[in-house]
Each structure stands twice: as structure tokens, then as C-alpha cells.
Amino acid sequence: MTEKTILVNLQRCTGCWTCSLACKVGNKLPDDEFWLTVRTQGSGEGIDRPAGVWPNLRMSWTPVWSPKCVRCPSRLAEGEQPYCVYSCPNGALSIGELAAQREAELREKGFRIFKLPAWEGSAEDVVYASKG
């Protein structure tokens, strides 16, 4: 894991889009540009529709970074976290040494650690942790 590797604990992500909006505002991106989006996994019948039937509903989210993501170099140079990591209200994101530490802890707890497949076209140095 590098100092710019972001770890996403998918068990903690609630699909709030705070990471994406923090990135957009902090990097002064135009209205139609996002370097980070949040994909909803549910029924496929609308953005926020869960899969399954009551009482066995389920839904999850996956933040996906664009290759345009630069990891907020000015913030890293000042010893601060990128906007996305800093702003996550659920502690789902970590970077650098903390990400490596959390990855080891999650592996011990039986989490699966993976990267998105190349065909996703996502940024490198993003790893995901999922239970089950």
C-alpha cells in the first residue's frame, strides 16, 4: 500500500455522497464534473431501491474514483487528508499508513480486500474491504 492508497470499508459506507461533494467543492470542479461518484447496489430499478422483499431488503454503496483524482496534493503536503477522506462522516475512508493499518485489522476480522476490475476505469490505489 502506498501513501496515496485509499481504503474503503464498504461495511461503513452509507451512500451519503459527502465524499463526492467534498471533492467537488474542495477542488472547485464544474457542475457537470465529478472525480468521485457513489454507485448504489440494489434492485437496479432506480437509484435508491433496495434488492429483495420485506423484511429481507438489502442495499449497499461503492464509492468509485475517477482516474482524474489527484488525491489533493496540497492537503497531503500539509499533512492533511484529501477532502473525501476528511469529510466521510462514517469513517469508511482512510489513506496512507492508517489505511494500511486498517487493512491489516480488517483482514484479521475476515474481510475480503480487493480492487475494482480494470474495465471499471477507476483510479488506481483504491482498495475496498467487504465482509462476506
Side-chain angles (χ1 to χ4, degrees), residues 47-114:
I47 192 164
D48 286 323
R49 297 192 97 160
V53 293
W54 182 259
N56 298 314
L57 299 172
R58 62 192 175 283
M59 188 167 8
S60 62
W61 301 269
T62 305
V64 179
W65 279 259
S66 159
K68 292 181 179 182
C69 172
V70 294
R71 301 294 194 284
C72 306
S74 62
R75 290 184 60 84
L76 289 176
E78 295 173 11
E80 297 179 353
Q81 299 171 327
Y83 293 112
C84 58
V85 176
Y86 176 78
S87 299
C88 179
N90 301 310
L93 308 178
S94 53
I95 189 166
E97 274 185 43
L98 182 57
Q101 194 175 30
R102 286 189 177 162
E103 178 184 349
E105 292 167 1
L106 292 170
R107 279 185 193 276
E108 284 181 24
K109 293 179 180 177
F111 278 67
R112 180 175 69 98
I113 307 297
F114 63 96

Side-chain angles (χ1 to χ4, degrees), residues 6-14 63 85 88-94 102:
I6 294 176
L7 172 68
V8 183
N9 181 343
L10 294 173
Q11 300 306 117
R12 298 190 69 111
C13 180
T14 60
V85 176
C88 179
N90 301 310
L93 308 178
S94 53
R102 286 189 177 162

Side-chain angles (χ1 to χ4, degrees), residues 15 17 38-50 59-61:
W17 280 77
V38 181
R39 182 178 305 140
T40 301
Q41 280 86 38
S43 68
E45 297 177 11
I47 192 164
D48 286 323
R49 297 192 97 160
M59 188 167 8
S60 62
W61 301 269

